[in-house]
């Protein structure tokens, strides 16, 4: 399309490479569904989209968003620095939000930026982690160096569970517990809660070493974050009761101190910054708002919203691009009225964020004025 803006031309070119690859891999099960100018929302649009997908209907979905002025409610990058900079010996920055909003890419950019200020560890607990792909480095269960000042680790769930179970059972054996109690403990460790508590234990061990200036946590979707914060209390009491033969009342007084220390850190804005990642469309905006309320319920106050994939007006002068830009301006205004938190812009990139060079380009886009100071 001769009217396509430069950024959409580049994105389309990148997509064509993957379309070609997928069509060669799945020649008999391959069907293209074009991106629409409007949202797939409302019964009429859902019906029309079904016809586009299943009947190859030559239709396009539009929505009459009227906004024609650029959104001016973004906070200055200097305000983002104030949120994530150290106030004590170390600073924890947690990025959370629904799946697919770009937490991993943004966490890599923030970690790369902070590594210029101090020794930084980038941590992922996401079972679908692609931090290694973004950084083009091998990121495993063992901490590895990415570049000067920047390190990364993937808290793999299976490995964390194996390590946690070994610690619990070895402790029980050392203390001479009976075969009956050991069998009971092994059964307890089959609980679905074990995975979350194991990840939390590993995370707690990392957070309490005192060797990092900054720790950036790229979490799994919000529900996983909530489980990490809610489950340790009750589950740890059960384990404590079995190991020590305590009553429930005794166990509630003697909770795991390391876990308690980490939870206090996460709930204290002087220690930890929580940033919610979203992008300006209906579903992610409202799902993110629900996530914000859920986190407040467990004592976590979101300190800023990272709005990803924001289009620049100069890239969206007519046609499809202009429609998408108007839609974003509408939802940016909605976000400002809904969240009542500082909003930070993460511009849509024309290239994939793969490799440190691309990560640092995004970092410069996010921090704009800061990188020149």
């Amino acid at each position: 399309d001769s009217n396509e803006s430069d950024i959409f031309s580049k994105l389309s070119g990148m997509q064509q490479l993957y379309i070609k690859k997928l069509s060669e891999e799945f020649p008999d099960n391959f069907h293209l569904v074009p991106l629409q100018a409007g949202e797939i929302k409302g019964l009429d649009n859902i019906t029309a989209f079904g016809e586009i997908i299943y009947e190859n209907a030559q239709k396009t979905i539009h929505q009459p968003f009227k906004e024609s002025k650029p959104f001016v409610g973004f906070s200055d990058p200097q305000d983002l620095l104030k949120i994530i900079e150290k106030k004590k010996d170390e600073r924890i920055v947690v990025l959370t939000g629904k799946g697919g909003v770009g937490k991993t890419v943004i966490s890599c950019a923030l970690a790369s930026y902070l590594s210029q200020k101090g020794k930084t560890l980038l941590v992922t607990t996401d079972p679908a982690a692609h931090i290694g792909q973004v950084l083009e480095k091998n990121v495993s269960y063992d901490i590895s160096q990415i570049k000067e000042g920047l390190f990364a680790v993937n808290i793999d769930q299976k490995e964390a569970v194996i390590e946690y179970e070994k610690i619990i059972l070895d402790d029980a054996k050392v203390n001479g517990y009976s075969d009956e109690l050991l069998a009971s403990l092994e059964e307890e460790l089959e609980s679905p809660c074990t995975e979350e508590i194991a990840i939390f234990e590993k995370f707690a061990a990392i957070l309490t070493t005192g060797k990092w200036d900054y720790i950036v946590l790229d979490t799994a979707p919000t529900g996983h974050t909530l489980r990490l914060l809610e489950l340790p209390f009750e589950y740890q009491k059960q384990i404590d009761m079995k190991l020590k033969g305590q009553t429930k009342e005794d166990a509630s007084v003697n909770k795991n101190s390391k876990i308690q220390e980490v939870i206090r850190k996460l709930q204290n804005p002087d220690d930890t910054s929580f940033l919610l990642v979203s992008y300006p469309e209906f579903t992610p905006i409202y799902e993110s708002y629900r996530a914000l309320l859920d986190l407040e319920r467990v004592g976590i106050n979101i300190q800023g919203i990272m709005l990803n994939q924001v289009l620049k007006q100069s890239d969206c002068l007519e046609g499809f691009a202009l429609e998408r830009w108007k839609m974003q301006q509408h939802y940016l205004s909605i976000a400002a009225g809904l969240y009542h938190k500082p909003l930070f812009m993460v511009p849509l990139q024309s290239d994939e964020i793969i490799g440190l060079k691309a990560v640092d380009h995004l970092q410069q886009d996010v921090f704009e004025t800061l990188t020149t100071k």
Side-chain angles (χ1 to χ4, degrees):
D1 190 330
S2 60
N3 292 327
E4 245 183 347
S5 70
D6 185 51
I7 191 169
F8 283 100
S9 294
K10 287 181 178 178
L11 288 169
S12 177
M14 179 184 68
Q15 287 187 351
Q16 293 308 313
L17 295 174
Y18 287 111
I19 287 169
K20 183 175 184 296
K21 185 176 180 180
L22 287 167
S23 64
E24 290 169 353
E25 288 187 23
F26 306 99
D28 300 323
N29 297 287
F30 188 79
H31 186 66
L32 291 177
V33 181
L35 178 66
Q36 301 298 306
E39 288 185 291
I40 316 304
K41 183 165 71 72
L43 187 57
D44 290 344
N45 281 345
I46 290 172
T47 301
F49 194 54
E51 292 170 359
I52 292 168
I53 296 173
Y54 301 111
E55 299 173 10
N56 202 28
Q58 300 303 300
K59 294 182 175 183
T60 54
I61 293 171
H62 302 272
Q63 282 176 323
F65 289 110
K66 306 292 186 191
E67 281 77 358
S68 58
K69 293 180 180 178
F71 176 72
V72 293
F74 284 116
S75 293
D76 190 274
Q78 192 72 41
D79 296 329
L80 178 58
L81 178 59
K82 290 174 184 174
I83 289 173
I84 63 176
E85 68 186 355
K86 280 204 301 181
K87 293 178 175 62
K88 295 183 178 179
D89 293 335
E90 66 182 6
R91 187 72 180 172
I92 304 163
V93 181
V94 183
L95 289 100
T96 190
K98 72 183 287 289
V101 292
K103 292 185 299 297
T104 296
V105 163
I106 293 172
S107 67
C108 288
L110 287 182
S112 182
Y113 178 78
L114 290 170
S115 71
Q116 302 167 53
K117 296 178 167 296
K119 194 175 179 183
T120 300
L121 178 65
L122 176 58
V123 183
T124 184
T125 61
D126 191 339
H130 61 284
I131 273 182
Q133 293 170 305
V134 172
L135 297 172
E136 287 190 318
K137 300 281 185 179
N138 181 36
V139 178
S140 66
Y141 196 68
D142 297 315
I143 294 171
S144 57
Q145 184 165 7
I146 305 301
K147 64 174 184 176
E148 185 178 355
L150 180 60
F151 299 76
V153 64
N154 177 11
I155 303 180
D156 178 83
Q157 295 175 347
K158 288 181 181 177
E159 292 194 53
V161 167
I162 291 168
E163 184 177 324
Y164 175 70
E165 289 180 345
K166 186 175 186 306
I167 290 169
I168 292 293
L169 293 172
D170 284 355
D171 185 49
K173 289 170 184 173
V174 165
N175 285 286
Y177 289 105
S178 65
D179 291 343
E180 184 181 353
L181 180 54
L182 287 171
S184 177
L185 265 176
E186 287 177 355
E187 183 180 345
E188 193 71 54
L189 290 168
E190 293 297 318
S191 163
C193 303
T194 298
E195 188 175 277
E196 275 80 15
I197 196 73
I199 292 170
F200 208 97
E201 282 273 1
K202 183 69 175 177
F203 182 47
I206 289 170
L207 256 64
T208 52
T209 60
K211 64 182 288 189
W212 307 103
D213 293 304
Y214 294 95
I215 297 172
V216 178
L217 176 60
D218 164 42
T219 68
T222 316
H224 188 84
T225 309
L226 289 169
R227 291 198 303 275
L228 282 178
L229 292 170
E230 290 178 316
L231 284 178
F233 295 106
E234 289 300 321
Y235 188 65
Q236 190 63 45
K237 279 193 284 185
Q238 293 177 39
I239 295 295
D240 285 349
M241 285 162 59
K242 288 196 177 295
L243 280 173
K244 299 172 185 176
Q246 296 173 313
T247 64
K248 191 167 186 176
E249 290 72 23
D250 292 332
S252 66
V253 176
N254 194 22
K255 293 175 187 173
N256 185 288
S257 59
K258 188 184 290 183
I259 287 180
Q260 287 302 302
E261 181 186 345
V262 169
I263 290 175
R264 282 195 297 272
K265 276 179 177 284
L266 293 174
Q267 292 174 330
N268 184 352
D270 286 341
D271 290 311
T272 305
S273 302
F274 268 79
L275 296 170
L276 190 64
V277 182
S278 186
Y279 59 88
E281 291 184 22
F282 177 87
T283 300
I285 288 291
Y286 284 98
E287 282 197 9
S288 296
Y289 181 63
R290 284 205 305 272
L292 182 149
L293 297 178
D294 284 340
L295 288 164
E296 285 182 349
R297 177 170 50 80
V298 294
I300 298 297
N301 180 40
I302 294 291
Q303 291 169 261
I305 313 291
M306 306 292 291
L307 285 165
N308 196 17
Q309 301 179 12
V310 175
L311 292 164
K312 296 176 181 176
Q313 187 178 19
S314 57
D315 288 324
C316 304
L317 301 178
E318 57 186 331
F320 171 88
L322 181 58
E323 279 199 58
R324 298 289 295 184
W325 181 82
K326 285 184 175 182
M327 177 183 71
Q328 286 200 353
Q329 302 317 295
H330 173 79
Y331 284 112
L332 289 170
S333 295
I334 294 285
L338 197 62
Y339 295 128
H340 298 291
K341 304 280 184 181
L343 306 178
F344 300 103
M345 180 176 71
V346 183
L348 178 66
Q349 304 293 297
S350 59
D351 298 307
E352 285 186 286
I353 312 298
I354 295 178
L356 283 170
K357 186 176 178 181
V359 167
D360 286 340
H361 185 274
L362 175 63
Q363 172 216 125
Q364 289 160 14
D365 255 5
V366 171
F367 286 103
E368 293 176 35
T369 58
L370 298 181
T371 52
T372 59
K373 291 184 179 179

